[in-house]
mmCIF file of all heavy atoms in Angstrom:
data_model
loop_
_atom_site.group_PDB
_atom_site.id
_atom_site.type_symbol
_atom_site.label_atom_id
_atom_site.label_comp_id
_atom_site.label_asym_id
_atom_site.label_seq_id
_atom_site.Cartn_x
_atom_site.Cartn_y
_atom_site.Cartn_z
ATOM 1 N N LEU A 393 -22.597 7.223 7.639
ATOM 2 C CA LEU A 393 -22.820 8.408 8.468
ATOM 3 C C LEU A 393 -21.874 8.431 9.662
ATOM 4 O O LEU A 393 -21.424 9.505 10.077
ATOM 5 C CB LEU A 393 -24.282 8.457 8.920
ATOM 6 C CG LEU A 393 -25.302 8.590 7.780
ATOM 7 C CD1 LEU A 393 -26.725 8.450 8.306
ATOM 8 C CD2 LEU A 393 -25.116 9.894 7.026
ATOM 9 N N LYS A 394 -21.532 7.266 10.200
ATOM 10 C CA LYS A 394 -20.578 7.204 11.316
ATOM 11 C C LYS A 394 -19.188 7.656 10.882
ATOM 12 O O LYS A 394 -18.420 8.183 11.684
ATOM 13 C CB LYS A 394 -20.505 5.783 11.879
ATOM 14 C CG LYS A 394 -21.688 5.423 12.746
ATOM 15 C CD LYS A 394 -21.767 3.979 13.199
ATOM 16 C CE LYS A 394 -20.539 3.261 13.558
ATOM 17 N NZ LYS A 394 -20.794 1.891 14.057
ATOM 18 N N LEU A 395 -18.862 7.458 9.607
ATOM 19 C CA LEU A 395 -17.537 7.829 9.107
ATOM 20 C C LEU A 395 -17.329 9.338 9.050
ATOM 21 O O LEU A 395 -16.258 9.803 8.655
ATOM 22 C CB LEU A 395 -17.284 7.185 7.743
ATOM 23 C CG LEU A 395 -17.108 5.671 7.788
ATOM 24 C CD1 LEU A 395 -17.093 5.091 6.381
ATOM 25 C CD2 LEU A 395 -15.848 5.288 8.546
ATOM 26 N N ASP A 396 -18.324 10.096 9.466
ATOM 27 C CA ASP A 396 -18.180 11.544 9.601
ATOM 28 C C ASP A 396 -17.213 11.889 10.736
ATOM 29 O O ASP A 396 -16.635 12.955 10.767
ATOM 30 C CB ASP A 396 -19.561 12.169 9.856
ATOM 31 C CG ASP A 396 -19.542 13.674 9.773
ATOM 32 O OD1 ASP A 396 -18.864 14.207 8.870
ATOM 33 O OD2 ASP A 396 -20.194 14.322 10.617
ATOM 34 N N LYS A 397 -17.022 10.964 11.653
ATOM 35 C CA LYS A 397 -16.166 11.160 12.822
ATOM 36 C C LYS A 397 -14.767 10.611 12.552
ATOM 37 O O LYS A 397 -14.595 9.499 12.055
ATOM 38 C CB LYS A 397 -16.758 10.443 14.034
ATOM 39 C CG LYS A 397 -18.196 10.815 14.334
ATOM 40 C CD LYS A 397 -18.246 11.981 15.272
ATOM 41 C CE LYS A 397 -19.641 12.252 15.760
ATOM 42 N NZ LYS A 397 -20.327 13.286 15.066
ATOM 43 N N ALA A 398 -13.755 11.408 12.916
ATOM 44 C CA ALA A 398 -12.361 11.020 12.675
ATOM 45 C C ALA A 398 -12.007 9.704 13.352
ATOM 46 O O ALA A 398 -11.307 8.873 12.761
ATOM 47 C CB ALA A 398 -11.419 12.129 13.145
ATOM 48 N N HIS A 399 -12.482 9.485 14.573
ATOM 49 C CA HIS A 399 -12.118 8.232 15.259
ATOM 50 C C HIS A 399 -12.716 7.021 14.552
ATOM 51 O O HIS A 399 -12.107 5.954 14.541
ATOM 52 C CB HIS A 399 -12.508 8.281 16.748
ATOM 53 C CG HIS A 399 -13.968 8.184 17.019
ATOM 54 N ND1 HIS A 399 -14.803 9.279 16.999
ATOM 55 C CD2 HIS A 399 -14.745 7.107 17.302
ATOM 56 C CE1 HIS A 399 -16.034 8.883 17.261
ATOM 57 N NE2 HIS A 399 -16.034 7.577 17.456
ATOM 58 N N GLU A 400 -13.883 7.175 13.937
ATOM 59 C CA GLU A 400 -14.472 6.073 13.160
ATOM 60 C C GLU A 400 -13.650 5.809 11.899
ATOM 61 O O GLU A 400 -13.431 4.653 11.528
ATOM 62 C CB GLU A 400 -15.925 6.366 12.782
ATOM 63 C CG GLU A 400 -16.896 6.205 13.907
ATOM 64 C CD GLU A 400 -17.119 4.754 14.347
ATOM 65 O OE1 GLU A 400 -16.888 3.826 13.544
ATOM 66 O OE2 GLU A 400 -17.536 4.568 15.494
ATOM 67 N N ARG A 401 -13.212 6.883 11.239
ATOM 68 C CA ARG A 401 -12.390 6.709 10.038
ATOM 69 C C ARG A 401 -11.093 5.983 10.390
ATOM 70 O O ARG A 401 -10.657 5.082 9.672
ATOM 71 C CB ARG A 401 -12.095 8.050 9.379
ATOM 72 C CG ARG A 401 -13.307 8.691 8.734
ATOM 73 C CD ARG A 401 -12.938 9.894 7.888
ATOM 74 N NE ARG A 401 -12.407 11.010 8.633
ATOM 75 C CZ ARG A 401 -13.148 11.961 9.208
ATOM 76 N NH1 ARG A 401 -14.467 11.921 9.128
ATOM 77 N NH2 ARG A 401 -12.578 12.962 9.851
ATOM 78 N N ARG A 402 -10.473 6.373 11.508
ATOM 79 C CA ARG A 402 -9.229 5.709 11.920
ATOM 80 C C ARG A 402 -9.487 4.255 12.306
ATOM 81 O O ARG A 402 -8.733 3.362 11.920
ATOM 82 C CB ARG A 402 -8.587 6.456 13.094
ATOM 83 C CG ARG A 402 -7.843 7.712 12.688
ATOM 84 C CD ARG A 402 -7.019 8.266 13.825
ATOM 85 N NE ARG A 402 -7.816 8.625 14.991
ATOM 86 C CZ ARG A 402 -8.434 9.786 15.172
ATOM 87 N NH1 ARG A 402 -8.342 10.729 14.255
ATOM 88 N NH2 ARG A 402 -9.122 10.029 16.266
ATOM 89 N N GLU A 403 -10.546 4.009 13.076
ATOM 90 C CA GLU A 403 -10.854 2.668 13.550
ATOM 91 C C GLU A 403 -11.195 1.720 12.400
ATOM 92 O O GLU A 403 -10.719 0.588 12.341
ATOM 93 C CB GLU A 403 -12.012 2.724 14.542
ATOM 94 C CG GLU A 403 -12.320 1.401 15.202
ATOM 95 C CD GLU A 403 -13.416 1.535 16.250
ATOM 96 O OE1 GLU A 403 -13.249 2.344 17.180
ATOM 97 O OE2 GLU A 403 -14.433 0.830 16.103
ATOM 98 N N GLN A 404 -12.029 2.193 11.480
ATOM 99 C CA GLN A 404 -12.460 1.351 10.364
ATOM 100 C C GLN A 404 -11.481 1.342 9.194
ATOM 101 O O GLN A 404 -11.630 0.558 8.261
ATOM 102 C CB GLN A 404 -13.834 1.803 9.863
ATOM 103 C CG GLN A 404 -14.932 1.613 10.877
ATOM 104 C CD GLN A 404 -16.284 1.940 10.273
ATOM 105 O OE1 GLN A 404 -16.572 1.585 9.127
ATOM 106 N NE2 GLN A 404 -17.124 2.621 11.041
ATOM 107 N N LYS A 405 -10.524 2.254 9.235
ATOM 108 C CA LYS A 405 -9.559 2.402 8.136
ATOM 109 C C LYS A 405 -10.281 2.629 6.812
ATOM 110 O O LYS A 405 -9.996 1.987 5.800
ATOM 111 C CB LYS A 405 -8.617 1.214 8.081
ATOM 112 C CG LYS A 405 -7.721 1.082 9.303
ATOM 113 C CD LYS A 405 -6.765 -0.068 9.155
ATOM 114 C CE LYS A 405 -5.776 -0.136 10.278
ATOM 115 N NZ LYS A 405 -6.276 -0.612 11.531
ATOM 116 N N LEU A 406 -11.230 3.578 6.850
ATOM 117 C CA LEU A 406 -12.006 3.957 5.670
ATOM 118 C C LEU A 406 -12.274 5.451 5.711
ATOM 119 O O LEU A 406 -12.370 6.044 6.785
ATOM 120 C CB LEU A 406 -13.362 3.237 5.644
ATOM 121 C CG LEU A 406 -13.376 1.743 5.400
ATOM 122 C CD1 LEU A 406 -14.782 1.196 5.605
ATOM 123 C CD2 LEU A 406 -12.881 1.419 4.003
ATOM 124 N N PHE A 407 -12.413 6.050 4.534
ATOM 125 C CA PHE A 407 -12.888 7.423 4.453
ATOM 126 C C PHE A 407 -13.858 7.537 3.289
ATOM 127 O O PHE A 407 -13.903 6.680 2.406
ATOM 128 C CB PHE A 407 -11.736 8.434 4.356
ATOM 129 C CG PHE A 407 -10.901 8.344 3.096
ATOM 130 C CD1 PHE A 407 -11.191 9.146 2.001
ATOM 131 C CD2 PHE A 407 -9.806 7.487 3.024
ATOM 132 C CE1 PHE A 407 -10.417 9.082 0.848
ATOM 133 C CE2 PHE A 407 -9.025 7.418 1.874
ATOM 134 C CZ PHE A 407 -9.335 8.221 0.789
ATOM 135 N N VAL A 408 -14.659 8.590 3.313
ATOM 136 C CA VAL A 408 -15.715 8.800 2.330
ATOM 137 C C VAL A 408 -15.233 9.805 1.289
ATOM 138 O O VAL A 408 -14.700 10.850 1.629
ATOM 139 C CB VAL A 408 -17.001 9.330 3.010
ATOM 140 C CG1 VAL A 408 -18.103 9.569 1.979
ATOM 141 C CG2 VAL A 408 -17.467 8.385 4.103
ATOM 142 N N THR A 409 -15.449 9.471 0.027
ATOM 143 C CA THR A 409 -15.156 10.395 -1.061
ATOM 144 C C THR A 409 -16.388 10.474 -1.954
ATOM 145 O O THR A 409 -16.975 9.461 -2.298
ATOM 146 C CB THR A 409 -13.939 9.923 -1.882
ATOM 147 O OG1 THR A 409 -12.806 9.883 -1.025
ATOM 148 C CG2 THR A 409 -13.659 10.870 -3.039
ATOM 149 N N GLU A 410 -16.759 11.694 -2.298
ATOM 150 C CA GLU A 410 -17.952 11.904 -3.104
ATOM 151 C C GLU A 410 -17.592 12.556 -4.431
ATOM 152 O O GLU A 410 -16.818 13.505 -4.476
ATOM 153 C CB GLU A 410 -18.934 12.806 -2.351
ATOM 154 C CG GLU A 410 -20.220 13.033 -3.096
ATOM 155 C CD GLU A 410 -21.248 13.779 -2.274
ATOM 156 O OE1 GLU A 410 -21.055 13.972 -1.069
ATOM 157 O OE2 GLU A 410 -22.258 14.193 -2.869
ATOM 158 N N GLY A 411 -18.140 12.023 -5.487
ATOM 159 C CA GLY A 411 -17.982 12.634 -6.803
ATOM 160 C C GLY A 411 -17.175 11.775 -7.759
ATOM 161 O O GLY A 411 -16.186 11.143 -7.372
ATOM 162 N N LEU A 412 -17.615 11.763 -8.992
ATOM 163 C CA LEU A 412 -16.951 10.988 -10.042
ATOM 164 C C LEU A 412 -15.490 11.391 -10.200
ATOM 165 O O LEU A 412 -14.595 10.540 -10.208
ATOM 166 C CB LEU A 412 -17.709 11.177 -11.367
ATOM 167 C CG LEU A 412 -17.088 10.531 -12.588
ATOM 168 C CD1 LEU A 412 -17.171 9.016 -12.497
ATOM 169 C CD2 LEU A 412 -17.767 11.002 -13.854
ATOM 170 N N ARG A 413 -15.233 12.678 -10.282
ATOM 171 C CA ARG A 413 -13.854 13.160 -10.484
ATOM 172 C C ARG A 413 -12.967 12.755 -9.317
ATOM 173 O O ARG A 413 -11.860 12.256 -9.496
ATOM 174 C CB ARG A 413 -13.850 14.677 -10.664
ATOM 175 C CG ARG A 413 -12.462 15.263 -10.848
ATOM 176 C CD ARG A 413 -12.522 16.791 -11.048
ATOM 177 N NE ARG A 413 -11.218 17.343 -11.233
ATOM 178 C CZ ARG A 413 -10.418 17.749 -10.241
ATOM 179 N NH1 ARG A 413 -10.824 17.657 -8.985
ATOM 180 N NH2 ARG A 413 -9.224 18.245 -10.494
ATOM 181 N N GLU A 414 -13.458 12.969 -8.103
ATOM 182 C CA GLU A 414 -12.666 12.699 -6.911
ATOM 183 C C GLU A 414 -12.385 11.202 -6.750
ATOM 184 O O GLU A 414 -11.271 10.800 -6.416
ATOM 185 C CB GLU A 414 -13.373 13.250 -5.671
ATOM 186 C CG GLU A 414 -13.428 14.763 -5.611
ATOM 187 C CD GLU A 414 -14.500 15.408 -6.498
ATOM 188 O OE1 GLU A 414 -15.263 14.673 -7.177
ATOM 189 O OE2 GLU A 414 -14.570 16.648 -6.518
ATOM 190 N N ILE A 415 -13.390 10.384 -7.014
ATOM 191 C CA ILE A 415 -13.200 8.940 -6.910
ATOM 192 C C ILE A 415 -12.234 8.463 -7.993
ATOM 193 O O ILE A 415 -11.351 7.638 -7.740
ATOM 194 C CB ILE A 415 -14.549 8.200 -6.981
ATOM 195 C CG1 ILE A 415 -15.432 8.596 -5.776
ATOM 196 C CG2 ILE A 415 -14.348 6.687 -7.019
ATOM 197 C CD1 ILE A 415 -16.895 8.183 -5.896
ATOM 198 N N SER A 416 -12.360 9.006 -9.196
ATOM 199 C CA SER A 416 -11.434 8.655 -10.288
ATOM 200 C C SER A 416 -10.000 9.017 -9.930
ATOM 201 O O SER A 416 -9.071 8.231 -10.187
ATOM 202 C CB SER A 416 -11.828 9.370 -11.581
ATOM 203 O OG SER A 416 -13.046 8.902 -12.065
ATOM 204 N N LEU A 417 -9.807 10.189 -9.332
ATOM 205 C CA LEU A 417 -8.464 10.595 -8.915
ATOM 206 C C LEU A 417 -7.905 9.640 -7.865
ATOM 207 O O LEU A 417 -6.713 9.297 -7.898
ATOM 208 C CB LEU A 417 -8.481 12.030 -8.368
ATOM 209 C CG LEU A 417 -8.666 13.136 -9.394
ATOM 210 C CD1 LEU A 417 -8.920 14.478 -8.706
ATOM 211 C CD2 LEU A 417 -7.465 13.235 -10.320
ATOM 212 N N ALA A 418 -8.746 9.202 -6.934
ATOM 213 C CA ALA A 418 -8.295 8.253 -5.909
ATOM 214 C C ALA A 418 -7.884 6.935 -6.538
ATOM 215 O O ALA A 418 -6.843 6.357 -6.192
ATOM 216 C CB ALA A 418 -9.391 8.049 -4.869
ATOM 217 N N VAL A 419 -8.678 6.436 -7.488
ATOM 218 C CA VAL A 419 -8.343 5.185 -8.183
ATOM 219 C C VAL A 419 -7.025 5.345 -8.927
ATOM 220 O O VAL A 419 -6.136 4.485 -8.839
ATOM 221 C CB VAL A 419 -9.480 4.771 -9.145
ATOM 222 C CG1 VAL A 419 -9.048 3.621 -10.048
ATOM 223 C CG2 VAL A 419 -10.729 4.392 -8.361
ATOM 224 N N ASP A 420 -6.873 6.454 -9.643
ATOM 225 C CA ASP A 420 -5.639 6.697 -10.402
ATOM 226 C C ASP A 420 -4.418 6.816 -9.487
ATOM 227 O O ASP A 420 -3.305 6.491 -9.895
ATOM 228 C CB ASP A 420 -5.771 7.962 -11.256
ATOM 229 C CG ASP A 420 -6.763 7.795 -12.397
ATOM 230 O OD1 ASP A 420 -7.134 6.640 -12.726
ATOM 231 O OD2 ASP A 420 -7.201 8.832 -12.952
ATOM 232 N N ALA A 421 -4.627 7.274 -8.245
ATOM 233 C CA ALA A 421 -3.529 7.425 -7.290
ATOM 234 C C ALA A 421 -3.239 6.125 -6.533
ATOM 235 O O ALA A 421 -2.374 6.097 -5.656
ATOM 236 C CB ALA A 421 -3.845 8.546 -6.302
ATOM 237 N N GLY A 422 -3.963 5.060 -6.863
ATOM 238 C CA GLY A 422 -3.665 3.773 -6.270
ATOM 239 C C GLY A 422 -4.395 3.446 -4.979
ATOM 240 O O GLY A 422 -4.034 2.501 -4.284
ATOM 241 N N TYR A 423 -5.417 4.218 -4.647
ATOM 242 C CA TYR A 423 -6.196 3.911 -3.447
ATOM 243 C C TYR A 423 -7.122 2.730 -3.732
ATOM 244 O O TYR A 423 -7.617 2.580 -4.848
ATOM 245 C CB TYR A 423 -7.035 5.116 -3.018
ATOM 246 C CG TYR A 423 -6.245 6.171 -2.287
ATOM 247 C CD1 TYR A 423 -5.551 7.154 -2.989
ATOM 248 C CD2 TYR A 423 -6.186 6.184 -0.900
ATOM 249 C CE1 TYR A 423 -4.811 8.118 -2.316
ATOM 250 C CE2 TYR A 423 -5.461 7.152 -0.228
ATOM 251 C CZ TYR A 423 -4.767 8.113 -0.949
ATOM 252 O OH TYR A 423 -4.046 9.065 -0.279
ATOM 253 N N ASN A 424 -7.352 1.913 -2.718
ATOM 254 C CA ASN A 424 -8.273 0.782 -2.839
ATOM 255 C C ASN A 424 -9.683 1.228 -2.485
ATOM 256 O O ASN A 424 -9.911 1.802 -1.415
ATOM 257 C CB ASN A 424 -7.862 -0.364 -1.905
ATOM 258 C CG ASN A 424 -6.574 -1.018 -2.340
ATOM 259 O OD1 ASN A 424 -6.323 -1.174 -3.531
ATOM 260 N ND2 ASN A 424 -5.761 -1.392 -1.385
ATOM 261 N N ILE A 425 -10.592 0.960 -3.387
ATOM 262 C CA ILE A 425 -11.997 1.277 -3.153
ATOM 263 C C ILE A 425 -12.613 0.108 -2.405
ATOM 264 O O ILE A 425 -12.543 -1.037 -2.852
ATOM 265 C CB ILE A 425 -12.752 1.511 -4.484
ATOM 266 C CG1 ILE A 425 -12.031 2.548 -5.353
ATOM 267 C CG2 ILE A 425 -14.195 1.907 -4.222
ATOM 268 C CD1 ILE A 425 -11.901 3.914 -4.758
ATOM 269 N N ASN A 426 -13.229 0.388 -1.271
ATOM 270 C CA ASN A 426 -13.890 -0.638 -0.462
ATOM 271 C C ASN A 426 -15.284 -0.933 -0.997
ATOM 272 O O ASN A 426 -15.686 -2.082 -1.108
ATOM 273 C CB ASN A 426 -13.945 -0.169 0.995
ATOM 274 C CG ASN A 426 -14.759 -1.065 1.877
ATOM 275 O OD1 ASN A 426 -15.989 -0.972 1.897
ATOM 276 N ND2 ASN A 426 -14.091 -1.935 2.604
ATOM 277 N N SER A 427 -16.031 0.122 -1.310
ATOM 278 C CA SER A 427 -17.383 -0.023 -1.860
ATOM 279 C C SER A 427 -17.786 1.276 -2.537
ATOM 280 O O SER A 427 -17.272 2.349 -2.216
ATOM 281 C CB SER A 427 -18.391 -0.411 -0.773
ATOM 282 O OG SER A 427 -18.308 0.460 0.322
ATOM 283 N N LEU A 428 -18.709 1.155 -3.484
ATOM 284 C CA LEU A 428 -19.169 2.302 -4.251
ATOM 285 C C LEU A 428 -20.689 2.359 -4.160
ATOM 286 O O LEU A 428 -21.366 1.343 -4.359
ATOM 287 C CB LEU A 428 -18.737 2.164 -5.714
ATOM 288 C CG LEU A 428 -19.110 3.291 -6.665
ATOM 289 C CD1 LEU A 428 -18.380 4.577 -6.288
ATOM 290 C CD2 LEU A 428 -18.765 2.899 -8.101
ATOM 291 N N TYR A 429 -21.218 3.543 -3.843
ATOM 292 C CA TYR A 429 -22.666 3.760 -3.738
ATOM 293 C C TYR A 429 -23.080 4.700 -4.860
ATOM 294 O O TYR A 429 -22.463 5.757 -5.040
ATOM 295 C CB TYR A 429 -23.014 4.368 -2.373
ATOM 296 C CG TYR A 429 -22.731 3.425 -1.239
ATOM 297 C CD1 TYR A 429 -21.431 3.268 -0.754
ATOM 298 C CD2 TYR A 429 -23.740 2.659 -0.678
ATOM 299 C CE1 TYR A 429 -21.159 2.375 0.274
ATOM 300 C CE2 TYR A 429 -23.473 1.767 0.351
ATOM 301 C CZ TYR A 429 -22.186 1.634 0.817
ATOM 302 O OH TYR A 429 -21.922 0.743 1.826
ATOM 303 N N ILE A 430 -24.104 4.297 -5.608
ATOM 304 C CA ILE A 430 -24.553 5.133 -6.719
ATOM 305 C C ILE A 430 -26.056 5.369 -6.611
ATOM 306 O O ILE A 430 -26.804 4.546 -6.105
ATOM 307 C CB ILE A 430 -24.226 4.496 -8.090
ATOM 308 C CG1 ILE A 430 -24.940 3.153 -8.266
ATOM 309 C CG2 ILE A 430 -22.724 4.348 -8.276
ATOM 310 C CD1 ILE A 430 -24.889 2.599 -9.675
ATOM 311 N N CYS A 431 -26.450 6.526 -7.112
ATOM 312 C CA CYS A 431 -27.863 6.880 -7.219
ATOM 313 C C CYS A 431 -28.137 7.046 -8.712
ATOM 314 O O CYS A 431 -27.656 8.019 -9.327
ATOM 315 C CB CYS A 431 -28.153 8.159 -6.443
ATOM 316 S SG CYS A 431 -29.878 8.652 -6.496
ATOM 317 N N ARG A 432 -28.836 6.107 -9.312
ATOM 318 C CA ARG A 432 -29.027 6.070 -10.770
ATOM 319 C C ARG A 432 -29.644 7.350 -11.327
ATOM 320 O O ARG A 432 -29.351 7.732 -12.449
ATOM 321 C CB ARG A 432 -29.875 4.875 -11.165
ATOM 322 C CG ARG A 432 -29.149 3.579 -10.975
ATOM 323 C CD ARG A 432 -29.261 2.684 -12.184
ATOM 324 N NE ARG A 432 -28.609 1.423 -11.888
ATOM 325 C CZ ARG A 432 -27.398 1.101 -12.326
ATOM 326 N NH1 ARG A 432 -26.734 1.923 -13.075
ATOM 327 N NH2 ARG A 432 -26.867 -0.058 -12.019
ATOM 328 N N SER A 433 -30.501 8.016 -10.563
ATOM 329 C CA SER A 433 -31.141 9.226 -11.078
ATOM 330 C C SER A 433 -30.157 10.399 -11.184
ATOM 331 O O SER A 433 -30.468 11.385 -11.841
ATOM 332 C CB SER A 433 -32.333 9.622 -10.203
ATOM 333 O OG SER A 433 -31.893 10.016 -8.922
ATOM 334 N N LEU A 434 -28.985 10.279 -10.563
ATOM 335 C CA LEU A 434 -28.010 11.374 -10.571
ATOM 336 C C LEU A 434 -26.775 11.101 -11.424
ATOM 337 O O LEU A 434 -26.083 12.032 -11.814
ATOM 338 C CB LEU A 434 -27.561 11.693 -9.141
ATOM 339 C CG LEU A 434 -28.651 12.163 -8.177
ATOM 340 C CD1 LEU A 434 -28.087 12.281 -6.762
ATOM 341 C CD2 LEU A 434 -29.236 13.489 -8.636
ATOM 342 N N ILE A 435 -26.471 9.837 -11.696
ATOM 343 C CA ILE A 435 -25.248 9.530 -12.447
ATOM 344 C C ILE A 435 -25.474 9.710 -13.946
ATOM 345 O O ILE A 435 -26.594 9.709 -14.424
ATOM 346 C CB ILE A 435 -24.725 8.108 -12.153
ATOM 347 C CG1 ILE A 435 -25.741 7.043 -12.559
ATOM 348 C CG2 ILE A 435 -24.318 7.970 -10.701
ATOM 349 C CD1 ILE A 435 -25.220 5.610 -12.449
ATOM 350 N N ASP A 436 -24.364 9.875 -14.658
ATOM 351 C CA ASP A 436 -24.453 9.938 -16.118
ATOM 352 C C ASP A 436 -23.627 8.798 -16.715
ATOM 353 O O ASP A 436 -23.116 7.945 -15.997
ATOM 354 C CB ASP A 436 -24.020 11.316 -16.647
ATOM 355 C CG ASP A 436 -22.569 11.643 -16.334
ATOM 356 O OD1 ASP A 436 -21.762 10.716 -16.111
ATOM 357 O OD2 ASP A 436 -22.229 12.835 -16.317
ATOM 358 N N SER A 437 -23.471 8.797 -18.007
ATOM 359 C CA SER A 437 -22.810 7.686 -18.697
ATOM 360 C C SER A 437 -21.345 7.518 -18.299
ATOM 361 O O SER A 437 -20.795 6.418 -18.394
ATOM 362 C CB SER A 437 -22.924 7.861 -20.211
ATOM 363 O OG SER A 437 -22.323 9.077 -20.600
ATOM 364 N N SER A 438 -20.697 8.566 -17.862
ATOM 365 C CA SER A 438 -19.288 8.447 -17.467
ATOM 366 C C SER A 438 -19.110 7.607 -16.209
ATOM 367 O O SER A 438 -18.015 7.115 -15.938
ATOM 368 C CB SER A 438 -18.650 9.821 -17.298
ATOM 369 O OG SER A 438 -19.381 10.591 -16.375
ATOM 370 N N ALA A 439 -20.172 7.408 -15.439
ATOM 371 C CA ALA A 439 -20.100 6.562 -14.246
ATOM 372 C C ALA A 439 -19.764 5.127 -14.638
ATOM 373 O O ALA A 439 -19.027 4.446 -13.921
ATOM 374 C CB ALA A 439 -21.403 6.620 -13.476
#
């Protein structure tokens, strides 16, 4: 929730990305994933 603020994103060197497609695109573009949060009731087999 703190990462909603630009100064927190800059300080922590992290940003939030939501969605299977968007996260997949980031991985394919060579971004390093720090951590992944999933909600089992919402994900499907492609997760």
Side-chain angles (χ1 to χ4, degrees):
L393 297 173
K394 283 173 38 176
L395 291 171
D396 190 41
K397 306 270 189 262
H399 73 275
E400 284 290 336
R401 290 190 294 274
R402 282 191 300 274
E403 186 176 303
Q404 295 186 41
K405 295 183 174 74
L406 291 172
F407 65 94
V408 179
T409 299
E410 182 173 350
L412 175 69
R413 179 179 181 272
E414 291 78 1
I415 297 167
S416 293
L417 288 170
V419 170
D420 291 344
Y423 282 85
N424 291 323
I425 307 299
N426 172 279
S427 52
L428 181 66
Y429 294 80
I430 62 169
C431 181
R432 290 228 184 258
S433 67
L434 298 173
I435 62 173
D436 62 23
S437 59
S438 56

